[in-house]
Amino acid sequence: MAFVELLADPHVWASFLALSAMEIVLGIDNVVFISVMVSRLPKEQQVVARRIGLLLAFVFRVIMLSFITWFIHMTTPIFSIGEYSFSWRDLVLLAGGLFLLVKGTREIHEGIEGDDHGTASGPVTGTMTAAVLQIAVIDLVFSVDSIITAVGMADHIEVMIAAVVVAIAVMYLASGPVADFIERHPTTKMLALSFLLLIGAALVADAFHFHIPRGYIYFAMAFSAGVELINVLASRKTQKAKASKLRRENQQED
């Protein structure tokens, strides 16, 4: 009966739609990271790695929702350094932000200098196990922000879980095209890595209670992605024009 009452309550549906939209937006970070991580894997392993990564994202979120009472206390300060007080949430965001900064920097370095330079981390990061472990770490970090948002926007755990399911389904549908696009256009991988640096810096700032509105970050990402899309389309048009010109010249010679 309680479940039927939930379905009939317009306020519940409003909170579900708002929370689903917010969870989808917060999932953009997850999709970008997973797409970059699987790009190093062989083609036949990429789909499996994406599925495992998104499954872990869903499992982490549901587990955290199951311990929602304890999880709320993650925002309670546990120690202070000077004027900064840190909670478990702050420490998780700080660790995740630093991880993204280090990972993004190393990936950019390897992309520019090649795997033969620096450390021998190239082959390791290209394995299925390493990719899944790194995806799991960042899933955990993004899940913290996701669940704290859910707690603030909805009163019923059923609504929270339903919104998470919708967000993961959208992430699953989006991750394939995003990963394929990055693979077809290598320059977009560098752009995606710069997004990871941006997200990492935002997480570190959040850990020190300096909140950067996500709207600014997502606008910057969308604007950069739009410019890159225009570049890709312009490059494709130029290549087609060159190919057409070459065919005409060959036909004239024949």
Side-chain angles (χ1 to χ4, degrees):
M1 184 65 180
F3 181 72
V4 175
E5 291 176 356
L6 280 178
L7 291 178
D9 189 344
H11 297 291
V12 170
W13 281 102
S15 64
F16 167 71
L17 293 175
L19 182 56
S20 297
M22 183 59 68
E23 292 292 330
I24 291 169
V25 171
L26 292 175
I28 293 172
D29 306 346
N30 241 145
V31 170
V32 171
F33 185 81
I34 290 174
S35 300
V36 171
M37 286 296 96
V38 301
S39 66
R40 279 183 166 272
L41 298 175
K43 187 68 176 179
E44 62 275 9
Q45 294 183 357
Q46 291 183 10
V47 175
V48 177
R50 280 202 306 271
R51 288 175 178 172
I52 293 175
L54 291 171
L55 177 62
L56 288 173
F58 174 71
V59 169
F60 285 149
R61 284 161 169 79
V62 172
I63 290 175
M64 289 179 182
L65 284 172
S66 300
F67 294 94
I68 195 89
T69 304
W70 175 84
F71 192 80
I72 292 174
H73 295 295
M74 284 191 71
T75 58
T76 303
I78 54 176
F79 68 91
S80 299
I81 299 178
E83 59 181 0
Y84 295 105
S85 58
F86 293 91
S87 64
W88 284 112
R89 172 183 178 270
D90 297 328
L91 296 179
V92 170
L93 294 181
L94 178 61
L98 293 175
F99 175 79
L100 284 180
L101 290 174
V102 172
K103 184 63 182 174
T105 302
R106 292 182 64 178
E107 289 284 337
I108 289 174
H109 178 269
E110 290 180 1
I112 295 175
E113 300 291 339
D115 290 340
D116 293 335
H117 297 266
T119 63
S121 62
V124 175
T125 55
T127 65
M128 168 78 86
T129 302
V132 170
L133 287 176
Q134 292 177 82
I135 289 171
V137 169
I138 212 62
D139 275 345
L140 182 61
V141 175
F142 289 144
S143 294
V144 170
D145 250 4
S146 173
I147 299 307
I148 288 177
T149 300
V151 172
M153 293 184 66
D155 298 323
H156 304 281
I157 192 170
E158 297 90 344
V159 175
M160 299 178 196
I161 293 177
V164 167
V165 170
V166 170
I168 294 295
V170 172
M171 287 165 61
Y172 178 79
L173 294 174
S175 63
V178 170
D180 292 341
F181 187 82
I182 290 175
E183 184 179 359
R184 289 197 307 271
H185 306 284
T187 57
T188 60
K189 181 177 180 180
M190 202 61 64
L191 183 62
L193 290 172
S194 69
F195 290 164
L196 295 185
L197 293 179
L198 183 62
I199 296 165
L203 291 179
V204 171
D206 275 347
F208 285 93
H209 305 166
F210 182 79
H211 180 66
I212 303 174
R214 288 296 188 265
Y216 294 137
I217 295 175
Y218 293 141
F219 174 79
M221 291 171 63
F223 181 81
S224 300
V227 172
E228 181 63 19
L229 180 60
I230 293 173
N231 286 334
V232 168
L233 294 175
S235 176
R236 187 180 301 173
K237 184 177 180 180
T238 301
Q239 291 175 359
K240 287 182 179 180
K242 288 181 178 180
S244 178
K245 182 179 179 181
L246 184 60
R247 281 197 302 269
R248 287 196 302 269
E249 289 176 353
N250 292 335
Q251 289 173 357
Q252 290 174 358
E253 290 177 359
D254 293 341

